Amino acid sequence: MPAPHIRHATPEDEEALSRLDRAAWSPLHAVTPRPQPPYDPFFNERFGPLDHFVAELGGDVVGYIRLGYPTSLACNTHVRQIQGLAVAEEARGAGVGRALLRAAGEESRRQGARRLTLRVLGHNAPARALYESEGFVVEGVLPEEFFLDGRYVDDVLMGRSL
């Protein structure tokens, strides 16, 4: 399988990313309820196209990663945070998530960041394994932070130096 093509999102990606986001929804990683119509726009006043990288395979959008600031504090601007990552089911195992993580790291470095962080649900073993393989380490755990699908789930804070 060819390597995914990674690029910045454009406004024209709105519909494809919205569909991907809804299709990829799972209690394995989502803390919000399953999206229902009418759907909110994918891009909004907080996160626009330039806050996203898109992965394509064969010209089809098969993944995205959202990069933002963990807080609005000036003293925290040296940190970037991954605030969304989705890969289409049919593209899993093809290196899409890894390529998106690497693009986010490169972009964070380009912007002058010193650290890259993320939050992942404790029971999401596939995502945690991917993050660890890319140099992220557990920096904190909020035990039983969420009650999802009938059980309590930890919120795991991970980060890495750039």
Side-chain angles (χ1 to χ4, degrees):
M1 185 172 275
H5 172 67
I6 307 298
R7 61 173 175 78
H8 271 289
T10 66
E12 292 74 28
D13 293 315
E14 169 76 32
E15 185 57 34
L17 290 172
S18 185
R19 277 194 314 271
L20 171 64
D21 206 41
R22 292 190 305 268
W25 184 96
S26 164
L28 187 62
H29 60 77
V31 297
T32 56
R34 181 181 297 276
Q36 300 294 322
Y39 302 115
D40 291 332
F42 185 83
F43 298 126
N44 56 44
E45 58 281 343
R46 185 169 174 212
F47 294 110
L50 291 181
D51 299 312
H52 296 82
F53 280 98
V54 170
E56 293 179 322
L57 283 174
D60 295 325
V61 172
V62 295
Y64 76 84
I65 195 165
R66 180 180 300 127
L67 193 58
Y69 292 95
T71 72
S72 60
L73 301 170
C75 61
N76 193 222
T77 59
H78 63 286
V79 180
R80 296 297 179 279
Q81 187 173 62
I82 294 168
Q83 298 185 350
L85 172 63
V87 176
E89 188 160 345
E90 67 273 11
R92 292 181 187 159
V96 172
R98 187 174 307 282
L100 287 166
L101 282 171
R102 290 178 180 175
E106 290 169 14
E107 178 66 9
S108 297
R109 272 190 218 92
R110 188 191 69 71
Q111 292 177 8
R114 296 173 46 95
R115 290 181 29 78
L116 183 58
T117 64
L118 58 88
R119 296 169 71 168
V120 61
L121 295 175
H123 66 259
N124 192 345
R128 290 180 65 178
L130 172 63
Y131 300 145
E132 288 172 3
S133 75
E134 286 297 311
F136 287 86
V137 296
V138 174
E139 297 181 336
V141 176
L142 301 174
E144 299 184 349
E145 186 71 2
F146 299 104
F147 186 73
L148 302 171
D149 207 24
R151 64 182 215 179
Y152 293 97
V153 180
D154 295 347
D155 188 11
V156 179
L157 313 175
M158 299 182 80
R160 62 168 288 202
S161 294
L162 296 172

